[in-house]
Amino acid sequence: VGNRDDSNLYINMKLKAAAEIGISANHIKLPNTATEADVLKCIASLNADPAVHGFIVQLPLDSNKPINTEKITNAVAPEKDVDGLSSINAGKLSRGDLGDCFIPCTPKGCMELIRQTGVQVAGKRAVVIGRSKIVGAPMHDLLLWNNATVTTCHSKTSTLAEEVGKADILVVAAGKAEMVKGEWIKPGAIVIDCGINHVPDSTKASGKRVVGDVAYSSAKEKASFITPVPGGVGPMTVAMLMQSTVESAQRFLEKFQPGKWTIQYNQLTLQRPVPSDIEISKGCMPKPIEQVAKEVGLFPDEVELYGQTKAKVQLSVLKRLQNQPDGKYVVVTGITPTPLGEGKSTTTVGLVQALGAHLHQNVFACVRQPSQGPTFGIKGGAAGGGYCQVVPMEEFNLHLTGDIHAITAANNLVAAAIDARIFHELTQSDQALYNRLVPSVNGVRKFSDIQIRRLQKLGINKTDPMALTKEEVNAFVRLDIDPGTITWQRVLDTNDRFLRKITIGQSVTEKGFTRTAQFDITVSSEIMAVLALADGLDDMKKRFGRMVVASSKKGQPVTADDLGVTGALAVLMKDAVKPNLMQTLEGTPVFVHAGPFANIAHGNSSVLADKIALKLVGKDGFVVTEAGFGADIGMEKFFNIKCRYSGLRPHVVVLVATVRALKMHGGGPAVTAGVPLPKEYTEENLQLVANGCSNLKKQIQNARMFGVPVVVAVNAFKTDTKAELALVVQHAKEAGAFDAVECTHWAEGGKGALALAQAVQRASQAPSNFRFLYNVELPVVDKIRLIAQQVYGARDIELLPEAQEKVALYTKQGFGNLPICMAKTHLSLSHDPEQKGAPTGFVLPIRDIRASVGAGFLYPLVGTMSTMPGLPTRPCFYDIDLDSVSGEVNGLF
């Protein structure tokens, strides 16, 4: 701070020394008008910068504003305080924690000089003259903890000469020229002179010379070793600053070594009977999310806190760790779902709790963010259950960090842009449109960047708005959207059946331009699918630009880029693209990011979360992610779509099954919510289990088709018998599973998934010859047929006329080489939800085909897909309430 000549001289010496030994050093200069707040802000920035291993604040602070020096030195992070001047480092030194602090450079240099004499410090009598915080006080502590008997003297010591005469080691830092006389010194003593004083000397050009605090000429006759002034302690001080900086870098690298975690796990207190999910969640005291981030090797500047229990993680971590090897990649899927549930989310959490808290492996769970629609509807939350939950579950199931709200805003901006563009084109001439799209500002007309891209797409290589011909203006301003081809709908994150079909444009201001439209639930938006598949901000922007929202009346695709909205979408989504960090009940880390539908989209959490997690866990760690619905849907799309775009290769599939669900696949009776289960599900029935294992076997075959080892997790319920569980394990192994194990994690937490975790560890060491089911270059119909026959067990497919038209259209538009994302019922391997088990010989009807070009797939519709759920007679919201005194949420499950 300021421009003192002496400070600049000292700083230049330090910069020169750093350059000589290869330390990158720079000088941050603040003017002498800098305030205390200015200095503190600069320090805070350096504290947070992981590229800075150490820094010093040059004293004195030359400012014309009042600055508290003590406050400034204590603002320096102790781990970067290479000058050792903060109270924390001073306190550690005074307590003897020499290996866990930085020692002020001058005392440290003095100590090194003493060591260089070869004289043992232990047992010697040492005298320190001076008690400053920079030299005297820390020198006393340093000698003391090196086992010398130390006396501190100062200007008020009445018997100074007598005390000096007793010293085997004398360190002088009094700031008084030649204060210590040679005759005071004990013969053979070691004398370290830290003083720098100027005394008059007419023989010097400057009229003065530099002397120390010791009368050097007489003292050298009695001392065995003595430091000269100048040239003694000064260079050592600079050398020790360099050494401390190197030590700081070494500590940093050791502490933040990728994949080296020091993590504190939470101990579960298990209760019987198992309480409700919300009660268990409330009974857990989560670690501060800042601590979780630090434990997994994230830097402070890579984490954006959203309160105490959730945070966003910057994508820059991928660049920092780009050369680190990935960990093991595990996907959790299930048999074909039934109303009885299989517990994939619970198993995902139980597995990571077992791997982390019990086997002490680095492990991350990567899960989808749930929609609020089902949370307030009938399904409830999706944070897992029992003693295997992401916590706090109310944060997880509600707003989280606002990603879904951002998607809602972005999606609806596109929808608004579509209808506004149609309206304006219908009510304005070409020239009027052009004048408004490219307005004159201060007499200057200029295309925006996105308009330049549209011109290039049209083959118009001009940048001067005045240079376009009438034909070019017409092509530029007219998207000519065919309203009947609009595939982009408005969205809302609420179950609302009355928005499934609406009429828009009924206000008189819209001049009679109405059309039929609909609302979908937000998680079905293509923007959600783009978020889940993007591998960075730039890739997300490009995908947004490619999103096809309709066709023109000439059959050309109309994109978000054509609408001019791509950049605005990126702005709305700039925070949502960062994964959300949370934790499990047992304190293992979780990324919660993206939540696309598993039917019209691919039903998996984000590529970005997986990639960051795989780097953070290190080569021996594990990342466990979950695929929506059964293996025939979520897992197939995980492999053929998500892994194709991410370039990641899975090591293990965990296939979740329950005895109860298998009984239903084996011909068990239908169940009704709220009605007691039929006895077939509560009593032993080995035949039903054996029959239902046909579905389990088929899903094992589906996983193995992709060349990945399969471990079957059998979620045990209290009504299951040992014989039933053993039968499932037997069938799973006979079908080719690497292993099959019983799990009790819902009731026991990670401990109940310990056998599963050990099986996954073993399977991850087995050969994994991952391969895709199809080549994207195949014709669209062939890709659909391969999925239907190989994964579902169909005999063939049948394309209805609308689907045939779409195949021709998308192939013509250049989208035929996209992966396929089948949209069919999740309740059966076939298109008929009533067909349980493993049906064969059926013909799969393809009603229609639609395109999510930005996300990067075509989705054939097998039957009717509802994209806006409705509320039941008694929704969950009847039980959800807020305690107005404590602020706690009640009633979530």
Side-chain angles (χ1 to χ4, degrees), residues 300-628:
D301 68 330
E302 294 170 339
V303 180
E304 297 175 11
L305 302 179
Y306 280 65
Q308 292 294 309
T309 56
K310 52 192 177 181
K312 280 198 165 292
V313 174
Q314 296 276 6
L315 304 187
S316 58
V317 67
L318 274 174
K319 184 175 182 181
R320 174 171 67 86
L321 298 176
Q322 61 185 340
N323 295 321
Q324 298 301 320
D326 288 344
K328 306 290 187 181
Y329 199 23
V330 180
V331 60
V332 176
T333 186
I335 61 172
T336 302
T338 71
L340 292 167
E342 289 65 55
K344 292 197 309 296
S345 299
T346 306
T347 301
T348 299
V349 177
L351 174 57
V352 297
Q353 288 182 167
L355 284 165
H358 299 270
L359 295 179
H360 304 292
Q361 300 291 306
N362 292 355
V363 62
F364 242 104
C366 292
V367 299
R368 290 181 292 167
Q369 180 183 355
S371 165
Q372 285 182 177
T375 299
F376 292 105
I378 193 169
K379 181 178 180 290
Y387 288 103
C388 298
Q389 296 185 55
V390 180
V391 290
M393 65 94 81
E394 60 270 31
E395 298 280 357
F396 177 90
N397 285 314
L398 297 176
H399 304 282
L400 197 57
T401 57
D403 293 351
I404 290 181
H405 302 315
I407 292 166
T408 302
N411 182 98
N412 292 344
L413 179 63
V414 177
I418 293 168
D419 289 303
R421 188 59 176 262
I422 293 173
F423 173 79
H424 292 308
E425 288 188 23
L426 287 171
T427 57
Q428 297 179 53
S429 66
D430 287 359
Q431 194 59 47
L433 280 169
Y434 193 58
N435 290 343
R436 288 179 171 89
L437 286 169
V438 193
S440 175
V441 180
N442 297 324
V444 178
R445 300 182 75 176
K446 183 180 178 182
F447 291 119
S448 66
D449 290 343
I450 202 165
Q451 290 176 324
I452 293 289
R453 290 206 298 271
R454 172 151 174 78
L455 289 168
Q456 291 170 345
K457 179 179 177 179
L458 293 169
I460 302 170
N461 296 313
K462 297 177 181 178
T463 57
D464 181 1
M466 305 303 294
L468 268 63
T469 66
K470 284 186 177 181
E471 292 75 17
E472 289 170 339
V473 167
N474 174 266
F476 175 74
V477 302
R478 298 284 171 189
L479 298 182
D480 203 23
I481 294 171
D482 180 354
T485 66
I486 295 173
T487 55
W488 195 272
Q489 310 298 344
R490 289 164 173 81
V491 298
L492 190 69
D493 197 34
T494 302
N495 290 6
D496 192 343
R497 66 177 66 246
F498 284 91
L499 294 177
R500 289 171 177 168
K501 187 174 183 180
I502 60 173
T503 302
I504 61 173
Q506 296 194 69
S507 170
V508 294
T509 56
E510 273 49 77
K511 303 179 181 179
F513 297 111
T514 63
R515 71 178 181 91
T516 300
Q518 69 186 57
F519 269 80
D520 295 336
I521 197 158
T522 298
V523 292
S524 71
S525 169
E526 185 175 351
I527 289 180
M528 175 65 90
V530 167
L531 174 66
L533 288 170
D535 70 359
L537 194 54
D538 187 58
D539 182 49
M540 183 176 72
K541 279 182 64 176
K542 290 176 180 175
R543 288 174 181 268
F544 284 160
R546 294 197 298 265
M547 293 188 304
V548 174
V549 301
S551 292
S552 71
K553 290 172 183 174
K554 292 181 180 178
Q556 294 301 311
V558 178
T559 66
D561 231 29
D562 292 327
L563 288 167
V565 75
T566 304
L569 297 181
V571 169
L572 286 170
M573 293 292 292
K574 69 181 179 65
D575 291 319
V577 75
K578 305 166 191 172
N580 304 297
L581 179 65
M582 294 187 77
Q583 62 191 289
T584 67
L585 283 167
E586 296 192 51
T588 59
V590 180
F591 275 138
V592 185
H593 199 217
F597 256 30
N599 46 27
I600 67 167
H602 64 292
N604 286 266
S605 59
S606 79
V607 165
L608 280 168
D610 291 0
K611 283 190 170 184
I612 293 173
L614 284 164
K615 293 297 183 186
L616 288 171
V617 298
K619 66 182 180 66
D620 297 320
F622 291 83
V623 170
V624 181
T625 189
E626 177 192 345

Side-chain angles (χ1 to χ4, degrees), residues 182-205:
E183 58 267 25
W184 296 1
I185 294 170
K186 179 180 179 179
I190 298 171
V191 178
I192 307 294
D193 188 351
C194 302
I196 297 180
N197 308 282
H198 293 90
V199 298
D201 188 340
S202 58
T203 65
K204 301 292 184 180

